[in-house]
Amino acid sequence: MGHPVITLHNKAFRPYLSADEIAAAIDQLASRLNADYAGRRPLFVVVLTGGFMFAADLLKRFTGDCEIVFIRVASYEGTGSTGKVQEIMGLREDVQGRDIILVEDIVDTGTTLHHLLPTLQANHPASIEIAAMFYKPDSLRYPLTLNYMAMEIPNDFVVGYGLDYDGLGRNLPDVYVAE
Ligand code: IMP
């Protein structure tokens, strides 16, 4: 690849996935969603912040009627992704009877979703599926049904395409991995 190693907060990252490779994976995922949700008018629930770039690219490719909302999850954690997600902010829509598709940047340990799903399920949607750009199978700690993962990656720390390292790197169109 023609991209150099980059530095964020004095940490080095090397090129890992190009914007073209990411776009190809999203094309495939969008085709599956278009087929599976034809005529169903799903409610896409985009989990901020990391999911913003993936959501924009995925939803431009969704051809049916749909609605789109954005939520944040407040996690009162001690250490990183072991924290418990206790609150969903921004979900004003009535999800009862709706086909929900949660849009996430990455499924890593699955902690976020493990705590988010019961809160959503309590409001009796017709269905809930998870669409994520990246999925780290070796990192998953909870039994989640993950039918719409655009790309599986190893258990390495990546940045770019919405994902940050301590606040930096979300704007990068390519994805980089920590050296
Ligand atoms: P979880 O461990 O599945 O709950 O992932 C929680 C969140 O951690 C994700 O939504 C990301 O925002 C963040 N995260 C997980 N892995 C990475 C990574 O490799 N780079 C940047 N952020 C990550």
Side-chain angles (χ1 to χ4, degrees):
M1 285 202 278
H3 299 282
V5 169
I6 61 164
T7 303
L8 301 171
H9 293 301
N10 291 326
K11 187 171 179 60
F13 294 85
R14 63 183 155 76
Y16 179 58
L17 291 166
S18 71
D20 285 347
E21 289 171 298
I22 292 166
I26 298 175
D27 279 342
Q28 291 198 356
L29 179 60
S31 299
R32 292 179 49 220
L33 288 170
N34 283 329
D36 294 353
Y37 284 86
R40 290 170 66 186
R41 203 208 285 172
L43 176 64
F44 287 98
V45 177
V46 181
V47 183
L48 294 172
T49 300
F52 77 97
M53 202 176 279
F54 171 54
D57 285 340
L58 180 70
L59 296 173
K60 277 185 278 186
R61 293 162 166 91
F62 190 78
T63 51
D65 282 357
C66 67
E67 292 172 65
I68 303 167
V69 296
F70 295 86
I71 63 166
R72 271 179 186 278
V73 289
S75 65
Y76 305 97
E77 81 268 51
T79 52
S81 63
T82 56
K84 292 197 188 325
V85 176
Q86 298 182 347
E87 197 188 338
I88 301 175
M89 291 177 294
L91 190 63
R92 292 187 202 90
E93 274 63 25
D94 186 4
V95 302
Q96 185 169 354
R98 300 298 306 270
D99 289 313
I100 306 288
I101 305 173
L102 274 173
V103 182
E104 271 270 31
D105 51 0
I106 188 166
V107 180
D108 180 20
T109 63
T111 307
T112 309
L113 290 168
H114 179 72
H115 290 99
L116 189 56
L117 287 171
T119 309
L120 284 171
Q121 262 145 5
N123 293 302
H124 307 294
S127 66
I128 305 182
E129 293 284 352
I130 300 149
M133 182 62 230
F134 300 111
Y135 166 43
K136 296 179 182 173
D138 296 339
S139 186
L140 192 67
R141 291 190 209 152
Y142 299 94
L144 295 170
T145 304
L146 301 171
N147 292 325
Y148 297 106
M149 303 295 106
M151 217 175 233
E152 292 190 4
I153 62 171
N155 194 8
D156 297 320
F157 189 80
V158 292
V159 294
Y161 201 72
L163 291 161
D164 73 306
Y165 169 55
D166 206 6
L168 297 181
R170 292 193 198 277
N171 56 310
L172 300 167
D174 305 305
V175 167
Y176 296 77
V177 63
E179 286 221 293

